[in-house]
Amino acid sequence: MPRTTDPEYDVIVVGGGPGGSTVATLTAMRGARVLLLEKERFPRYQIGESLLPATVHGIGKLLGVLPELEAARFTTKRGGTFRWGKNPEPWTFAFAVSSRFPGPTSTAYQVERMRFDQILLDNARRKGVEVRERCPVVDVLEAGGRGTDARRDGPGERGTGECSDDPDGRGTDVRSDDSDRRVTGVRFDDPDGTRREVRARFVVDASGNGSRIHGRTGGRRVYSEFFKNIALFGYFEGGSRLPEPNSGNILCAAFDSGWFWYIPLTDRLTSVGAVLHHDALDRVQGDREKALAGLIEECPLIAAYLADARRVTTGPYGEVRVRKDYSYCQEKFWRPGMALVGDAACFIDPVFSSGVHLSTYSALLAARSINTVLSGGAGSPSETRCFEEFEARYRDEFGRFHDFLMSFYDMRQDSDSYFWSARRITHATGSPLEAFVELVGGGASDEGALFDSPFVDATLEAGAKVQVQAALGESFDDEPIRENGLVPSLDGMHWTDPRT
């Protein structure tokens, strides 16, 4: 196919979901010339419909989309309800329990991702991002060469993409043997089939678990030995709701083969899915609708809520879908000129709706790193330090969810035991319940930019400096999380060296 060359950009973002839109917008807002390449045409269907307060009130505020999210009239989510562990009856938590989510910030949304993702992508356009849809990226370009097409090893093959932990047997990694060489751009296909090359100072892969280029950072995608689940899900009209004020809560119910999610997207529409243990994977073979109906019958709580409901059979919600929810983590999140955000880097079991949070949080961290390097003043942290900070903080947040979920899947515990586990894992000083809520609300990282600071009770923080920052809506982070680490700037958009 013919090739042409585009002019240079500062940043190329691969993928137009929440992570891609976030990193593109936050870099464009600081003057970067940004190109976003999305393989599909929006709006498009996507799963991951339950948001956390940190995403709505933290990332949403930084992006400037809070008014649009409110105008969209998404279902308000005040917390979560679980039939889980030793507790014989469902138990409920509220985000408002935590001082990190006070007042108006103590809620999140249940969203139709087609609408939510469109809001974020349109916002990116308004903020100056050049968005091209139906443009799949096939590989990266490297300094000193044109790059080579990304390759996936076939089943049973053993090559540079070997990954013994690959549950699909298809070798998920497309590893570069020259990961110390700088990535300088990407190769992609235009909607008309023209193969194109475009160059930039940075490439951000936000293209999800199906990324074709994630392995180009080097290393491999390592899969969890514990979280090897599969989800079978569909959509229903007319399902029941939890009693007020919790009618918008996500309901999670454990049963013998796994657990169900029950997400009220609108007054009438509900997302319902069964996450099955690895030893129950044969249940999704054959007729998916019959399999989902049989699983619902096995879970009396979900069956009761769907007693008067009917499954949607037409339109974007008309299919019973299957998704492999294998948890994984890439060995390397970045290399010179390239970073992975969201599911391109790692994925964890969805029981606490952490997907969009991890995606947008990692996008914020990557944007800080890029903004810092591009601004490049004397005394600014080096690119290596900036991206080491990005990776360290992203791994920490992923690790908190991973470690807590390991204990949460122990069905021999009760809710109080889970709360104490959250307190231990997060090293929180408040009550166990508050530690649990901070973790599952996306607030355990102590990341000031994830909170709507003007509403924070600054008296809970130490020192007048923090009180002033809270009043101004600025970041409260003033201590590095590791030796030689960096901290966010007061506006949350760059890294600074606390030693200078």
Side-chain angles (χ1 to χ4, degrees), residues 14-15 39 137-142 148-153 160-163 165-168 170-177 179 183 185-187 203-223 328-347 390-391 394-395:
V14 183
K39 69 178 180 179
V137 170
V138 298
D139 198 14
V140 302
L141 306 176
E142 297 177 339
T148 57
D149 283 344
R151 179 175 68 84
R152 293 184 185 275
D153 295 335
T160 59
E162 179 180 357
C163 182
D165 298 295
D166 172 19
D168 298 321
R170 58 182 173 86
T172 62
D173 285 314
V174 195
R175 299 197 301 181
S176 169
D177 293 329
S179 58
V183 170
V186 300
R187 181 175 295 127
V203 172
V204 178
D205 182 10
S207 58
N209 65 343
S211 165
R212 299 180 65 175
I213 62 172
H214 68 87
R216 301 291 271 159
T217 58
R220 60 176 182 159
R221 181 177 281 183
V222 179
Y223 285 82
Y328 56 81
C329 192
Q330 187 77 11
E331 288 183 326
K332 294 181 66 175
F333 286 6
W334 73 281
R335 64 180 282 197
M338 181 179 179
L340 309 178
V341 302
D343 289 358
C346 51
F347 176 80
F390 149 76
E391 180 161 346
Y394 192 17
R395 285 191 184 277

Side-chain angles (χ1 to χ4, degrees), residues 166-458:
D166 172 19
D168 298 321
R170 58 182 173 86
T172 62
D173 285 314
V174 195
R175 299 197 301 181
S176 169
D177 293 329
D178 300 303
S179 58
D180 58 332
R181 294 167 59 185
R182 187 172 191 85
V183 170
T184 59
V186 300
R187 181 175 295 127
F188 70 98
D189 291 336
D190 261 349
D192 63 3
T194 302
R195 178 65 53 87
R196 301 175 67 88
E197 293 177 356
V198 59
R199 288 170 170 76
R201 291 188 63 181
F202 292 98
V203 172
V204 178
D205 182 10
S207 58
N209 65 343
S211 165
R212 299 180 65 175
I213 62 172
H214 68 87
R216 301 291 271 159
T217 58
R220 60 176 182 159
R221 181 177 281 183
V222 179
Y223 285 82
S224 168
E225 290 298 322
F226 184 79
F227 296 110
K228 291 184 176 180
N229 299 330
I230 193 166
L232 180 70
F233 54 98
Y235 294 81
F236 292 78
E237 287 187 335
S240 298
R241 295 289 179 259
L242 289 163
E244 294 293 353
N246 299 316
S247 62
N249 279 11
I250 184 172
L251 171 63
C252 295
F255 70 118
D256 288 344
S257 296
W259 61 273
F260 267 97
W261 77 68
Y262 189 94
I263 304 175
L265 297 178
T266 70
D267 290 344
R268 295 284 300 169
L269 182 66
T270 307
S271 172
V272 180
V275 178
L276 306 177
H277 303 314
H278 187 68
D279 56 6
L281 301 188
D282 59 337
R283 299 289 302 275
V284 304
Q285 304 300 318
D287 189 327
R288 293 179 180 178
E289 181 169 17
K290 183 178 179 180
L292 181 58
L295 291 166
I296 290 170
E297 289 181 5
E298 292 180 25
C299 186
L301 181 60
I302 298 301
Y305 271 79
L306 292 174
D308 298 321
R310 67 173 186 85
R311 190 179 71 80
V312 178
T313 56
T314 60
Y317 298 124
E319 180 182 349
V320 175
R321 292 178 164 90
V322 171
R323 171 166 171 166
K324 293 178 180 178
D325 278 331
Y326 295 113
S327 299
Y328 56 81
C329 192
Q330 187 77 11
E331 288 183 326
K332 294 181 66 175
F333 286 6
W334 73 281
R335 64 180 282 197
M338 181 179 179
L340 309 178
V341 302
D343 289 358
C346 51
F347 176 80
I348 192 65
D349 184 275
V351 66
F352 286 121
S353 309
S354 59
V356 175
H357 163 66
L358 289 172
S359 181
T360 55
Y361 177 54
S362 62
L364 167 63
L365 299 176
R368 278 185 189 149
S369 301
I370 293 169
N371 289 341
T372 304
V373 176
L374 292 180
S375 62
S380 294
S382 68
E383 179 175 332
T384 296
R385 286 187 69 195
C386 288
F387 281 94
E388 285 177 347
E389 191 70 32
F390 149 76
E391 180 161 346
R393 289 183 181 246
Y394 192 17
R395 285 191 184 277
D396 277 357
E397 187 72 348
F398 175 83
R400 274 185 283 269
F401 278 95
H402 179 277
D403 293 349
F404 179 65
L405 282 167
M406 291 288 291
S407 64
F408 195 72
Y409 264 80
D410 183 353
M411 295 296 175
R412 297 168 297 178
Q413 300 187 59
D414 59 17
S415 57
D416 287 341
S417 299
Y418 298 136
F419 301 159
W420 278 103
S421 294
R423 191 175 189 269
R424 172 180 53 82
I425 289 167
T426 61
H427 307 291
T429 57
S431 71
L433 174 57
E434 186 170 4
F436 172 83
V437 171
E438 287 176 2
L439 175 60
V440 302
S445 64
D446 273 338
E447 170 61 69
L450 296 184
F451 312 119
D452 195 8
S453 305
F455 296 102
V456 172
D457 183 358

